[in-house]
Structure formats: C-alpha cells, structure tokens
Amino acid sequence: MLYAFGFERVGIVVGDLYFIDPDPSPGQDSPERGVRLELRILERGELTGSIYAARPITIGRPLWRVDLLQDANAAPRTFDRTHHHPDFDDWNPSPRVFVDELTRDPLAWLSGKLAHPAELLKATGIAPDDIPAADAEALSAAAPEITDTVRRLLERVWSGELARPTGDTPPETTSMRVSWL
C-alpha cells in the first residue's frame, strides 16, 4: 500500500514494509515489519501533449526516512526496531538512528517532526531556500493527516493484512519486500 502527499518541491510517501535484513545487528536477525515514511523531492516534468495533458510527476530522491518497525514475530505496538535515517547520500540512507522518544511514542514523535519541516529540512542538510516556504507550511498543515495515515497503516500491519512476506520469499532468505517500491 502506498500513500503519497505532494507539495510543490517535496512530498511524503508512506507504505507498509516487510524487511529481512541481509546484515542484521546482533539480536535483530528476524524479519521486521511496519510502516516506512520518507520525505522525498518531487520533480515535475514538462507537458508532453496539449495544455490538457497530464503533467509527469516523479517522486525523486529521498531526504529523510523513518521506519516504524518491529520484530515481525513480536506483539503489536512493540516498536523494538523503530528508527530513522536523518539524511541520505544520494539514494543511500545514513545508518539507523534509534531515539528513545521515537520508540516510546512514534506517532507523537513523527507528528512533531512533520509539524516543523524547516527544522527537519535543516537536519537533512537541505538549505531552507531550496524548498519553497509554501511547501513547509503545507507539510506542517498536513502533519495530522499524514500521521493519521501512518496510524491506519500500522493498524492494518498489526491485523496481519499488510507488511506480509511474499509467498515466494522463504523467511531464511535475505530479501526485502516493500509494497510501494
């Protein structure tokens, strides 16, 4: 399942995730499942037809990511592997950063980050002038809706409806299933 919230130059994508880490940290060798949210650059293409043609929109490179993950075998709401990636080197995320507040109350932590996009963008290394002020305002205004979407996806993960391994992926393999990539 993929949700996308688009503004002028940035957007948010949110989807369910089932992940088997090929190089897990000690004690984290079981699959993970949950919800991934990324702040991404949006790229708008040129019209390729009449003035009524649909404009191509590309969800471009990521700037920041939060993974609301837990051991796939744990009880719902465990959040034992919940972390974020403060920035990216091109398409590659920085190492996982575990934050007590994020693990303790992930939706409140996320809502706070989204409500203050200027601080979030600054932490990613993006200059505030690179993103229109209207985007920061729109993202801040949309923070409750985005957070609610994440909450609803988490509930569907916990019910077993989403973030499930594919039928052809045995648990012992090192593969990743992201339903929105």
Side-chain angles (χ1 to χ4, degrees):
M1 175 74 57
L2 172 70
Y3 288 87
F5 297 85
F7 308 103
E8 185 62 32
R9 290 280 302 132
V10 296
I12 296 286
V13 292
V14 181
D16 65 303
L17 174 72
Y18 183 89
F19 183 73
I20 300 173
D21 192 336
D23 186 23
S25 298
Q28 296 190 353
D29 52 348
S30 61
E32 301 171 327
R33 68 181 185 147
V35 172
R36 170 173 284 170
L37 178 144
E38 289 180 340
L39 175 66
R40 298 271 198 112
I41 294 290
L42 293 184
E43 299 163 1
R44 297 179 186 275
E46 296 298 319
L47 290 176
T48 58
S50 72
I51 62 169
Y52 305 108
R55 180 176 301 275
I57 300 171
T58 301
I59 298 174
R61 70 180 176 87
L63 301 172
W64 177 76
R65 173 190 291 166
V66 62
D67 288 323
L68 305 181
L69 300 177
Q70 65 181 61
D71 181 323
N73 302 312
R77 296 171 178 80
T78 303
F79 297 115
D80 59 331
R81 302 208 188 146
T82 296
H83 62 275
H84 75 111
H85 301 270
D87 58 11
F88 279 75
D89 179 11
D90 199 21
W91 289 87
N92 295 305
S94 59
R96 290 179 169 190
V97 175
F98 293 88
V99 179
D100 288 339
E101 296 84 10
L102 174 57
T103 301
R104 207 171 23 256
D105 192 350
L107 294 176
W109 186 90
L110 175 62
S111 181
K113 292 292 183 186
L114 297 177
H116 300 94
E119 293 172 21
L120 181 58
L121 288 166
K122 183 178 177 184
T124 69
I126 301 297
D129 294 343
D130 290 345
I131 304 298
D135 269 19
E137 292 169 14
L139 177 55
S140 180
E145 182 179 1
I146 295 167
T147 303
D148 187 58
T149 299
V150 170
R151 180 192 54 75
R152 287 184 285 113
L153 276 173
L154 281 168
E155 288 172 358
R156 292 175 72 186
V157 167
W158 296 329
S159 75
E161 179 185 350
L162 297 176
R164 298 166 29 138
T166 59
D168 60 350
T169 306
E172 67 275 9
T173 63
T174 55
S175 64
M176 181 170 119
R177 177 193 171 264
V178 181
S179 64
W180 50 275
L181 289 181

